[in-house]
Amino acid sequence: VCQALISIKDKELPLACNNLYTQHVLKHRPAGATIEIKKTSFKKFGAYLLHQQNRGLLKVGEDKRDKNPAGFLKSINRKHEDFRGFKKENSNKLPSGGDGSDKTRLTLA
């Protein structure tokens, strides 16, 4: 997720969290990897984002249409210690046209 957050420019914020997941997180996962949120204690990406907000990594805002407390990514704390060692990378991680067969499973921590 940190690699995905690095790819987001401040002028893109606020960003709908469903777009954060589909356009940034999935594109920046290691080649062939899947993210299995439902197998974590968070169960949903929004719950994971709220946890990261509590840790000071980012700030989320409520989507008033569906009362989702983590509907929008509002800001990113780029000075957070979790960003140490991360650099901007090319966003094309998955092989072209590949669905990531022989996938590595990732869980959010």
Side-chain angles (χ1 to χ4, degrees):
V1 173
C2 285
Q3 191 65 53
L5 292 175
I6 288 172
S7 72
I8 299 169
K9 297 178 177 117
D10 288 338
K11 66 181 178 181
E12 295 179 71
L13 300 174
L15 176 66
C17 288
N18 61 336
N19 291 338
L20 166 64
Y21 185 75
T22 58
Q23 296 174 6
H24 296 279
V25 173
L26 292 179
K27 286 184 179 181
H28 287 89
R29 65 187 176 199
T34 61
I35 299 173
E36 297 185 352
I37 297 170
K38 290 188 179 199
K39 291 187 177 184
T40 70
S41 60
F42 303 109
K43 305 295 182 207
K44 293 184 178 185
F45 188 59
Y48 173 75
L49 293 176
L50 289 170
H51 173 74
Q52 294 305 331
Q53 177 174 264
N54 291 338
R55 294 184 62 241
L57 184 66
L58 49 83
K59 289 187 181 176
V60 293
E62 180 180 15
D63 184 348
K64 292 182 175 34
R65 293 174 295 168
D66 62 4
K67 304 290 186 203
N68 180 354
F72 288 91
L73 175 63
K74 293 170 57 175
S75 66
I76 301 166
N77 178 3
R78 298 184 192 281
K79 294 181 181 180
H80 194 276
E81 64 183 29
D82 285 2
F83 283 116
R84 268 188 248 142
F86 283 94
K87 297 177 183 175
K88 277 194 173 184
E89 291 183 357
N90 185 353
S91 64
N92 299 324
K93 292 291 181 189
L94 287 176
S96 60
D99 65 352
S101 299
D102 296 330
K103 297 177 181 178
T104 302
R105 294 182 182 191
L106 301 175
T107 55
L108 301 174

